[in-house]
Amino acid sequence: MEVNSIADVITAVAVASLPIVVTYLSKWLKGNKQAETLMSVLPTLAKDAVVAMQKLGVTEAIEGVVKKARAVQIVAEALPDLGFNETNEATLANAVESAYAQLTADGTLAAYPQAVDTSDKDAKQAEIAKAEAELTSLKEQEATAQKQLDALKGAQN
C-alpha cells in the first residue's frame, strides 16, 4: 500500500466519522440543558464584563491583561449566582476574548476612550530633560577645552 493511499484512507475515515461525532455532540448538548443554558448565558455575561472593564478604563489607566483577568473574574463570580458551580477558566477566558473581539469589531468599545498612565511619561520626560542638560554642559566643556587646546597650539608656534 502506498503512503498516499494510507493518507486517503485516514482522511476518508475521518470524513465519514465527522457527522457521527457532530450528531453525538449535538444530542449530548441538547440533552444537557445546563450546558445549553450556560452556552446561551456566557456570551452575555462576557460582553457585560468587557464593557464594565472598558468603562473602568476611562477613569483609571489599566493594562489590557489586567482588564481581561478582571473580566474573567467578574464572569466567574456571576456564574455561581446563576446556578453554575463548575466552570472552566479557559472557557471563560475564551468567552471574554470573543466578546472583546465582537465589541471591538462593531465599534461599541470605541465609545470609551481609555485613560493613559502618564506617570511613566512624566518620568521619562524628566529623564530626557536631564540628559539634554548634561549634553549641553558637555558640549560647553568640549568647546572650552577646544579653545584651550587652540591657545596652547598657538603659543607653541
Side-chain angles (χ1 to χ4, degrees):
M1 209 177 223
E2 293 181 28
V3 174
N4 287 340
S5 62
I6 291 174
D8 292 340
V9 169
I10 292 172
T11 304
V13 170
V15 168
S17 64
L18 189 61
I20 296 168
V21 171
V22 169
T23 303
Y24 173 76
L25 285 176
S26 128
K27 285 182 182 180
W28 179 80
L29 281 175
K30 287 180 181 176
N32 189 346
K33 291 294 182 186
Q34 187 174 15
E36 186 177 339
T37 305
L38 177 63
M39 296 313 289
S40 67
V41 168
L42 192 56
T44 304
L45 286 174
K47 284 181 184 178
D48 291 345
V50 168
V51 169
M53 291 311 301
Q54 281 296 108
K55 285 182 179 179
L56 184 61
V58 171
T59 57
E60 299 177 24
I62 304 172
E63 292 184 24
V65 176
V66 176
K67 283 184 193 176
K68 178 185 172 188
R70 181 65 182 123
V72 170
Q73 183 182 1
I74 290 170
V75 173
E77 289 171 359
L79 287 174
D81 295 339
L82 298 172
F84 301 104
N85 297 325
E86 294 182 28
T87 55
N88 182 349
E89 188 81 17
T91 302
L92 300 181
N94 288 339
V96 166
E97 286 180 18
S98 175
Y100 179 81
Q102 183 181 6
L103 291 169
T104 301
D106 68 17
T108 302
L109 298 182
Y112 306 106
Q114 298 299 291
V116 180
D117 186 8
T118 58
S119 62
D120 287 342
K121 288 183 180 178
D122 292 341
K124 286 181 182 178
Q125 288 293 345
E127 219 175 295
I128 290 171
K130 182 179 176 184
E132 287 175 346
E134 288 177 12
L135 178 62
T136 303
S137 173
L138 288 174
K139 284 182 178 180
E140 289 173 358
Q141 289 175 3
E142 179 189 16
T144 304
Q146 187 64 40
K147 286 179 185 177
Q148 290 175 351
L149 181 61
D150 289 343
L152 289 174
K153 284 183 180 178
Q156 285 181 351
N157 291 335

mmCIF file of all heavy atoms in Angstrom, residues 23-67:
data_model
loop_
_atom_site.group_PDB
_atom_site.id
_atom_site.type_symbol
_atom_site.label_atom_id
_atom_site.label_comp_id
_atom_site.label_asym_id
_atom_site.label_seq_id
_atom_site.Cartn_x
_atom_site.Cartn_y
_atom_site.Cartn_z
ATOM 1 N N THR A 23 -23.227 14.656 15.390
ATOM 2 C CA THR A 23 -24.566 14.265 15.827
ATOM 3 C C THR A 23 -24.561 13.894 17.307
ATOM 4 O O THR A 23 -25.451 14.304 18.063
ATOM 5 C CB THR A 23 -25.078 13.062 14.995
ATOM 6 O OG1 THR A 23 -25.042 13.420 13.618
ATOM 7 C CG2 THR A 23 -26.483 12.672 15.400
ATOM 8 N N TYR A 24 -23.563 13.134 17.734
ATOM 9 C CA TYR A 24 -23.464 12.736 19.138
ATOM 10 C C TYR A 24 -23.305 13.964 20.036
ATOM 11 O O TYR A 24 -23.980 14.089 21.053
ATOM 12 C CB TYR A 24 -22.283 11.779 19.332
ATOM 13 C CG TYR A 24 -22.025 11.458 20.780
ATOM 14 C CD1 TYR A 24 -22.844 10.581 21.474
ATOM 15 C CD2 TYR A 24 -20.974 12.071 21.466
ATOM 16 C CE1 TYR A 24 -22.626 10.306 22.813
ATOM 17 C CE2 TYR A 24 -20.749 11.807 22.802
ATOM 18 C CZ TYR A 24 -21.570 10.918 23.470
ATOM 19 O OH TYR A 24 -21.351 10.656 24.789
ATOM 20 N N LEU A 25 -22.403 14.874 19.662
ATOM 21 C CA LEU A 25 -22.194 16.079 20.477
ATOM 22 C C LEU A 25 -23.454 16.943 20.507
ATOM 23 O O LEU A 25 -23.801 17.509 21.547
ATOM 24 C CB LEU A 25 -21.017 16.889 19.928
ATOM 25 C CG LEU A 25 -19.642 16.326 20.218
ATOM 26 C CD1 LEU A 25 -18.574 17.165 19.535
ATOM 27 C CD2 LEU A 25 -19.387 16.277 21.710
ATOM 28 N N SER A 26 -24.129 17.043 19.397
ATOM 29 C CA SER A 26 -25.347 17.849 19.371
ATOM 30 C C SER A 26 -26.419 17.245 20.265
ATOM 31 O O SER A 26 -27.104 17.954 20.996
ATOM 32 C CB SER A 26 -25.794 17.997 17.933
ATOM 33 O OG SER A 26 -27.102 17.650 17.733
ATOM 34 N N LYS A 27 -26.582 15.918 20.249
ATOM 35 C CA LYS A 27 -27.553 15.257 21.132
ATOM 36 C C LYS A 27 -27.154 15.435 22.588
ATOM 37 O O LYS A 27 -28.003 15.653 23.448
ATOM 38 C CB LYS A 27 -27.661 13.773 20.796
ATOM 39 C CG LYS A 27 -28.440 13.504 19.536
ATOM 40 C CD LYS A 27 -28.561 12.022 19.273
ATOM 41 C CE LYS A 27 -29.316 11.771 17.977
ATOM 42 N NZ LYS A 27 -29.445 10.342 17.685
ATOM 43 N N TRP A 28 -25.861 15.323 22.866
ATOM 44 C CA TRP A 28 -25.393 15.473 24.247
ATOM 45 C C TRP A 28 -25.673 16.893 24.751
ATOM 46 O O TRP A 28 -26.136 17.088 25.862
ATOM 47 C CB TRP A 28 -23.903 15.169 24.340
ATOM 48 C CG TRP A 28 -23.369 15.333 25.724
ATOM 49 C CD1 TRP A 28 -23.470 14.462 26.756
ATOM 50 C CD2 TRP A 28 -22.658 16.468 26.236
ATOM 51 N NE1 TRP A 28 -22.873 14.977 27.881
ATOM 52 C CE2 TRP A 28 -22.369 16.207 27.592
ATOM 53 C CE3 TRP A 28 -22.252 17.677 25.686
ATOM 54 C CZ2 TRP A 28 -21.691 17.111 28.387
ATOM 55 C CZ3 TRP A 28 -21.567 18.558 26.483
ATOM 56 C CH2 TRP A 28 -21.300 18.274 27.824
ATOM 57 N N LEU A 29 -25.374 17.886 23.929
ATOM 58 C CA LEU A 29 -25.631 19.271 24.332
ATOM 59 C C LEU A 29 -27.121 19.541 24.510
ATOM 60 O O LEU A 29 -27.526 20.231 25.443
ATOM 61 C CB LEU A 29 -25.050 20.250 23.308
ATOM 62 C CG LEU A 29 -23.552 20.480 23.401
ATOM 63 C CD1 LEU A 29 -23.082 21.369 22.257
ATOM 64 C CD2 LEU A 29 -23.174 21.098 24.721
ATOM 65 N N LYS A 30 -27.943 18.987 23.619
ATOM 66 C CA LYS A 30 -29.379 19.188 23.751
ATOM 67 C C LYS A 30 -29.916 18.466 24.981
ATOM 68 O O LYS A 30 -30.848 18.936 25.620
ATOM 69 C CB LYS A 30 -30.103 18.724 22.490
ATOM 70 C CG LYS A 30 -29.896 19.656 21.325
ATOM 71 C CD LYS A 30 -30.614 19.195 20.090
ATOM 72 C CE LYS A 30 -30.347 20.152 18.939
ATOM 73 N NZ LYS A 30 -30.946 19.699 17.699
ATOM 74 N N GLY A 31 -29.319 17.327 25.286
ATOM 75 C CA GLY A 31 -29.744 16.574 26.461
ATOM 76 C C GLY A 31 -29.284 17.232 27.752
ATOM 77 O O GLY A 31 -29.915 17.091 28.796
ATOM 78 N N ASN A 32 -28.223 17.953 27.692
ATOM 79 C CA ASN A 32 -27.689 18.599 28.879
ATOM 80 C C ASN A 32 -28.139 20.059 28.884
ATOM 81 O O ASN A 32 -27.479 20.929 28.344
ATOM 82 C CB ASN A 32 -26.154 18.492 28.872
ATOM 83 C CG ASN A 32 -25.545 18.952 30.167
ATOM 84 O OD1 ASN A 32 -26.201 19.593 30.984
ATOM 85 N ND2 ASN A 32 -24.284 18.630 30.354
ATOM 86 N N LYS A 33 -29.254 20.313 29.501
ATOM 87 C CA LYS A 33 -29.845 21.656 29.496
ATOM 88 C C LYS A 33 -28.949 22.672 30.207
ATOM 89 O O LYS A 33 -28.925 23.840 29.845
ATOM 90 C CB LYS A 33 -31.233 21.639 30.155
ATOM 91 C CG LYS A 33 -32.269 20.915 29.352
ATOM 92 C CD LYS A 33 -32.535 21.657 28.067
ATOM 93 C CE LYS A 33 -33.612 20.953 27.274
ATOM 94 N NZ LYS A 33 -33.816 21.530 25.982
ATOM 95 N N GLN A 34 -28.222 22.231 31.217
ATOM 96 C CA GLN A 34 -27.362 23.171 31.935
ATOM 97 C C GLN A 34 -26.253 23.672 31.018
ATOM 98 O O GLN A 34 -25.949 24.865 31.010
ATOM 99 C CB GLN A 34 -26.769 22.535 33.184
ATOM 100 C CG GLN A 34 -26.023 23.535 34.036
ATOM 101 C CD GLN A 34 -25.555 22.957 35.351
ATOM 102 O OE1 GLN A 34 -25.527 21.757 35.534
ATOM 103 N NE2 GLN A 34 -25.165 23.825 36.253
ATOM 104 N N ALA A 35 -25.673 22.790 30.229
ATOM 105 C CA ALA A 35 -24.627 23.211 29.290
ATOM 106 C C ALA A 35 -25.210 24.150 28.241
ATOM 107 O O ALA A 35 -24.594 25.153 27.873
ATOM 108 C CB ALA A 35 -23.992 21.994 28.622
ATOM 109 N N GLU A 36 -26.424 23.833 27.787
ATOM 110 C CA GLU A 36 -27.077 24.687 26.797
ATOM 111 C C GLU A 36 -27.369 26.068 27.386
ATOM 112 O O GLU A 36 -27.143 27.094 26.740
ATOM 113 C CB GLU A 36 -28.382 24.038 26.336
ATOM 114 C CG GLU A 36 -29.074 24.760 25.225
ATOM 115 C CD GLU A 36 -30.327 24.033 24.770
ATOM 116 O OE1 GLU A 36 -30.462 22.830 25.005
ATOM 117 O OE2 GLU A 36 -31.172 24.719 24.157
ATOM 118 N N THR A 37 -27.847 26.090 28.611
ATOM 119 C CA THR A 37 -28.137 27.358 29.272
ATOM 120 C C THR A 37 -26.858 28.151 29.484
ATOM 121 O O THR A 37 -26.822 29.360 29.269
ATOM 122 C CB THR A 37 -28.846 27.114 30.614
ATOM 123 O OG1 THR A 37 -30.003 26.318 30.390
ATOM 124 C CG2 THR A 37 -29.240 28.409 31.276
ATOM 125 N N LEU A 38 -25.809 27.463 29.902
ATOM 126 C CA LEU A 38 -24.519 28.135 30.104
ATOM 127 C C LEU A 38 -24.029 28.743 28.801
ATOM 128 O O LEU A 38 -23.570 29.886 28.780
ATOM 129 C CB LEU A 38 -23.480 27.159 30.651
ATOM 130 C CG LEU A 38 -22.066 27.718 30.830
ATOM 131 C CD1 LEU A 38 -22.066 28.848 31.852
ATOM 132 C CD2 LEU A 38 -21.104 26.629 31.232
ATOM 133 N N MET A 39 -24.157 27.999 27.710
ATOM 134 C CA MET A 39 -23.686 28.499 26.422
ATOM 135 C C MET A 39 -24.527 29.673 25.929
ATOM 136 O O MET A 39 -24.046 30.485 25.149
ATOM 137 C CB MET A 39 -23.677 27.375 25.373
ATOM 138 C CG MET A 39 -22.702 26.260 25.705
ATOM 139 S SD MET A 39 -21.055 26.815 26.189
ATOM 140 C CE MET A 39 -20.436 27.385 24.650
ATOM 141 N N SER A 40 -25.751 29.790 26.399
ATOM 142 C CA SER A 40 -26.561 30.930 25.994
ATOM 143 C C SER A 40 -26.336 32.140 26.901
ATOM 144 O O SER A 40 -26.478 33.278 26.468
ATOM 145 C CB SER A 40 -28.043 30.557 25.971
ATOM 146 O OG SER A 40 -28.505 30.290 27.273
ATOM 147 N N VAL A 41 -25.963 31.897 28.164
ATOM 148 C CA VAL A 41 -25.772 32.982 29.128
ATOM 149 C C VAL A 41 -24.353 33.544 29.080
ATOM 150 O O VAL A 41 -24.143 34.741 29.252
ATOM 151 C CB VAL A 41 -26.095 32.466 30.560
ATOM 152 C CG1 VAL A 41 -25.651 33.441 31.614
ATOM 153 C CG2 VAL A 41 -27.570 32.172 30.682
ATOM 154 N N LEU A 42 -23.391 32.686 28.826
ATOM 155 C CA LEU A 42 -21.978 33.072 28.893
ATOM 156 C C LEU A 42 -21.610 34.237 27.976
ATOM 157 O O LEU A 42 -20.934 35.169 28.429
ATOM 158 C CB LEU A 42 -21.099 31.852 28.607
ATOM 159 C CG LEU A 42 -19.624 31.990 28.907
ATOM 160 C CD1 LEU A 42 -19.398 32.404 30.356
ATOM 161 C CD2 LEU A 42 -18.908 30.684 28.631
ATOM 162 N N PRO A 43 -22.044 34.280 26.716
ATOM 163 C CA PRO A 43 -21.675 35.425 25.876
ATOM 164 C C PRO A 43 -22.194 36.761 26.420
ATOM 165 O O PRO A 43 -21.497 37.774 26.357
ATOM 166 C CB PRO A 43 -22.305 35.099 24.518
ATOM 167 C CG PRO A 43 -22.448 33.625 24.505
ATOM 168 C CD PRO A 43 -22.724 33.236 25.923
ATOM 169 N N THR A 44 -23.392 36.749 26.972
ATOM 170 C CA THR A 44 -23.956 37.987 27.519
ATOM 171 C C THR A 44 -23.170 38.445 28.737
ATOM 172 O O THR A 44 -22.856 39.633 28.872
ATOM 173 C CB THR A 44 -25.435 37.767 27.898
ATOM 174 O OG1 THR A 44 -26.131 37.298 26.752
ATOM 175 C CG2 THR A 44 -26.064 39.053 28.387
ATOM 176 N N LEU A 45 -22.851 37.508 29.624
ATOM 177 C CA LEU A 45 -22.056 37.863 30.803
ATOM 178 C C LEU A 45 -20.678 38.378 30.400
ATOM 179 O O LEU A 45 -20.175 39.351 30.971
ATOM 180 C CB LEU A 45 -21.901 36.652 31.725
ATOM 181 C CG LEU A 45 -23.115 36.233 32.524
ATOM 182 C CD1 LEU A 45 -22.832 34.932 33.270
ATOM 183 C CD2 LEU A 45 -23.520 37.311 33.502
ATOM 184 N N ALA A 46 -20.072 37.727 29.433
ATOM 185 C CA ALA A 46 -18.739 38.141 28.981
ATOM 186 C C ALA A 46 -18.782 39.545 28.386
ATOM 187 O O ALA A 46 -17.907 40.374 28.674
ATOM 188 C CB ALA A 46 -18.197 37.135 27.967
ATOM 189 N N LYS A 47 -19.798 39.839 27.582
ATOM 190 C CA LYS A 47 -19.919 41.186 26.998
ATOM 191 C C LYS A 47 -20.085 42.232 28.088
ATOM 192 O O LYS A 47 -19.456 43.292 28.041
ATOM 193 C CB LYS A 47 -21.112 41.246 26.039
ATOM 194 C CG LYS A 47 -20.876 40.599 24.716
ATOM 195 C CD LYS A 47 -22.094 40.720 23.823
ATOM 196 C CE LYS A 47 -21.877 39.980 22.521
ATOM 197 N NZ LYS A 47 -23.056 40.043 21.658
ATOM 198 N N ASP A 48 -20.933 41.930 29.067
ATOM 199 C CA ASP A 48 -21.141 42.880 30.157
ATOM 200 C C ASP A 48 -19.856 43.118 30.939
ATOM 201 O O ASP A 48 -19.542 44.252 31.316
ATOM 202 C CB ASP A 48 -22.242 42.378 31.098
ATOM 203 C CG ASP A 48 -23.616 42.410 30.455
ATOM 204 O OD1 ASP A 48 -23.773 43.080 29.410
ATOM 205 O OD2 ASP A 48 -24.531 41.764 30.995
ATOM 206 N N ALA A 49 -19.099 42.056 31.175
ATOM 207 C CA ALA A 49 -17.842 42.190 31.918
ATOM 208 C C ALA A 49 -16.824 43.014 31.124
ATOM 209 O O ALA A 49 -16.122 43.864 31.685
ATOM 210 C CB ALA A 49 -17.276 40.812 32.247
ATOM 211 N N VAL A 50 -16.741 42.784 29.828
ATOM 212 C CA VAL A 50 -15.802 43.534 28.978
ATOM 213 C C VAL A 50 -16.178 45.015 28.964
ATOM 214 O O VAL A 50 -15.315 45.889 29.119
ATOM 215 C CB VAL A 50 -15.767 42.950 27.551
ATOM 216 C CG1 VAL A 50 -15.033 43.875 26.597
ATOM 217 C CG2 VAL A 50 -15.112 41.578 27.557
ATOM 218 N N VAL A 51 -17.461 45.311 28.804
ATOM 219 C CA VAL A 51 -17.909 46.709 28.784
ATOM 220 C C VAL A 51 -17.637 47.367 30.136
ATOM 221 O O VAL A 51 -17.180 48.515 30.201
ATOM 222 C CB VAL A 51 -19.401 46.811 28.399
ATOM 223 C CG1 VAL A 51 -19.936 48.210 28.634
ATOM 224 C CG2 VAL A 51 -19.585 46.413 26.945
ATOM 225 N N ALA A 52 -17.876 46.632 31.220
ATOM 226 C CA ALA A 52 -17.615 47.188 32.552
ATOM 227 C C ALA A 52 -16.140 47.532 32.727
ATOM 228 O O ALA A 52 -15.797 48.597 33.256
ATOM 229 C CB ALA A 52 -18.052 46.197 33.632
ATOM 230 N N MET A 53 -15.263 46.665 32.257
ATOM 231 C CA MET A 53 -13.827 46.938 32.383
ATOM 232 C C MET A 53 -13.409 48.084 31.467
ATOM 233 O O MET A 53 -12.544 48.880 31.832
ATOM 234 C CB MET A 53 -13.012 45.679 32.088
ATOM 235 C CG MET A 53 -13.163 44.604 33.158
ATOM 236 S SD MET A 53 -12.956 45.206 34.856
ATOM 237 C CE MET A 53 -11.323 45.862 34.825
ATOM 238 N N GLN A 54 -14.012 48.205 30.290
ATOM 239 C CA GLN A 54 -13.709 49.339 29.415
ATOM 240 C C GLN A 54 -14.158 50.643 30.057
ATOM 241 O O GLN A 54 -13.463 51.648 29.993
ATOM 242 C CB GLN A 54 -14.384 49.169 28.049
ATOM 243 C CG GLN A 54 -13.652 48.232 27.118
ATOM 244 C CD GLN A 54 -12.280 48.723 26.729
ATOM 245 O OE1 GLN A 54 -11.284 48.170 27.182
ATOM 246 N NE2 GLN A 54 -12.191 49.711 25.898
ATOM 247 N N LYS A 55 -15.325 50.628 30.685
ATOM 248 C CA LYS A 55 -15.806 51.828 31.366
ATOM 249 C C LYS A 55 -14.872 52.202 32.508
ATOM 250 O O LYS A 55 -14.597 53.384 32.722
ATOM 251 C CB LYS A 55 -17.226 51.613 31.899
ATOM 252 C CG LYS A 55 -18.289 51.653 30.843
ATOM 253 C CD LYS A 55 -19.669 51.489 31.449
ATOM 254 C CE LYS A 55 -20.748 51.551 30.403
ATOM 255 N NZ LYS A 55 -22.095 51.371 30.989
ATOM 256 N N LEU A 56 -14.375 51.214 33.234
ATOM 257 C CA LEU A 56 -13.434 51.482 34.314
ATOM 258 C C LEU A 56 -12.128 52.050 33.762
ATOM 259 O O LEU A 56 -11.498 52.897 34.386
ATOM 260 C CB LEU A 56 -13.162 50.202 35.114
ATOM 261 C CG LEU A 56 -12.273 50.335 36.336
ATOM 262 C CD1 LEU A 56 -12.905 51.292 37.352
ATOM 263 C CD2 LEU A 56 -12.045 48.986 36.980
ATOM 264 N N GLY A 57 -11.758 51.613 32.558
ATOM 265 C CA GLY A 57 -10.537 52.098 31.920
ATOM 266 C C GLY A 57 -10.606 53.548 31.485
ATOM 267 O O GLY A 57 -9.583 54.149 31.155
ATOM 268 N N VAL A 58 -11.788 54.132 31.484
ATOM 269 C CA VAL A 58 -11.930 55.542 31.121
ATOM 270 C C VAL A 58 -11.342 56.423 32.215
ATOM 271 O O VAL A 58 -10.711 57.445 31.951
ATOM 272 C CB VAL A 58 -13.419 55.901 30.872
ATOM 273 C CG1 VAL A 58 -13.604 57.402 30.720
ATOM 274 C CG2 VAL A 58 -13.925 55.179 29.641
ATOM 275 N N THR A 59 -11.534 56.029 33.475
ATOM 276 C CA THR A 59 -11.075 56.848 34.599
ATOM 277 C C THR A 59 -9.747 56.373 35.170
ATOM 278 O O THR A 59 -9.034 57.155 35.780
ATOM 279 C CB THR A 59 -12.122 56.843 35.733
ATOM 280 O OG1 THR A 59 -12.359 55.495 36.137
ATOM 281 C CG2 THR A 59 -13.406 57.484 35.264
ATOM 282 N N GLU A 60 -9.407 55.115 34.993
ATOM 283 C CA GLU A 60 -8.164 54.565 35.524
ATOM 284 C C GLU A 60 -7.357 53.951 34.387
ATOM 285 O O GLU A 60 -7.916 53.319 33.511
ATOM 286 C CB GLU A 60 -8.458 53.468 36.555
ATOM 287 C CG GLU A 60 -9.248 53.923 37.754
ATOM 288 C CD GLU A 60 -9.563 52.777 38.696
ATOM 289 O OE1 GLU A 60 -8.823 51.766 38.683
ATOM 290 O OE2 GLU A 60 -10.541 52.877 39.429
ATOM 291 N N ALA A 61 -6.057 54.125 34.439
ATOM 292 C CA ALA A 61 -5.194 53.518 33.434
ATOM 293 C C ALA A 61 -4.956 52.065 33.828
ATOM 294 O O ALA A 61 -4.258 51.781 34.791
ATOM 295 C CB ALA A 61 -3.875 54.272 33.340
ATOM 296 N N ILE A 62 -5.586 51.155 33.094
ATOM 297 C CA ILE A 62 -5.481 49.723 33.386
ATOM 298 C C ILE A 62 -4.953 49.027 32.144
ATOM 299 O O ILE A 62 -5.418 49.277 31.035
ATOM 300 C CB ILE A 62 -6.865 49.142 33.751
ATOM 301 C CG1 ILE A 62 -7.478 49.901 34.920
ATOM 302 C CG2 ILE A 62 -6.755 47.669 34.093
ATOM 303 C CD1 ILE A 62 -8.906 49.513 35.211
ATOM 304 N N GLU A 63 -3.992 48.125 32.333
ATOM 305 C CA GLU A 63 -3.433 47.394 31.206
ATOM 306 C C GLU A 63 -4.432 46.364 30.701
ATOM 307 O O GLU A 63 -5.306 45.903 31.439
ATOM 308 C CB GLU A 63 -2.151 46.682 31.622
ATOM 309 C CG GLU A 63 -1.008 47.626 31.930
ATOM 310 C CD GLU A 63 0.269 46.886 32.238
ATOM 311 O OE1 GLU A 63 0.422 45.728 31.804
ATOM 312 O OE2 GLU A 63 1.118 47.465 32.916
ATOM 313 N N GLY A 64 -4.302 45.992 29.448
ATOM 314 C CA GLY A 64 -5.226 45.053 28.822
ATOM 315 C C GLY A 64 -5.272 43.693 29.495
ATOM 316 O O GLY A 64 -6.331 43.095 29.639
ATOM 317 N N VAL A 65 -4.122 43.183 29.918
ATOM 318 C CA VAL A 65 -4.071 41.876 30.562
ATOM 319 C C VAL A 65 -4.840 41.912 31.880
ATOM 320 O O VAL A 65 -5.564 40.973 32.216
ATOM 321 C CB VAL A 65 -2.602 41.454 30.807
ATOM 322 C CG1 VAL A 65 -2.521 40.146 31.548
ATOM 323 C CG2 VAL A 65 -1.853 41.377 29.500
ATOM 324 N N VAL A 66 -4.707 43.009 32.600
ATOM 325 C CA VAL A 66 -5.408 43.157 33.870
ATOM 326 C C VAL A 66 -6.910 43.260 33.622
ATOM 327 O O VAL A 66 -7.710 42.675 34.352
ATOM 328 C CB VAL A 66 -4.898 44.395 34.642
ATOM 329 C CG1 VAL A 66 -5.678 44.609 35.917
ATOM 330 C CG2 VAL A 66 -3.416 44.244 34.939
ATOM 331 N N LYS A 67 -7.294 43.983 32.581
ATOM 332 C CA LYS A 67 -8.716 44.097 32.235
ATOM 333 C C LYS A 67 -9.299 42.727 31.922
ATOM 334 O O LYS A 67 -10.388 42.387 32.364
ATOM 335 C CB LYS A 67 -8.907 45.004 31.028
ATOM 336 C CG LYS A 67 -8.787 46.463 31.305
ATOM 337 C CD LYS A 67 -9.098 47.216 30.030
ATOM 338 C CE LYS A 67 -8.703 48.650 30.136
ATOM 339 N NZ LYS A 67 -8.920 49.351 28.872
#
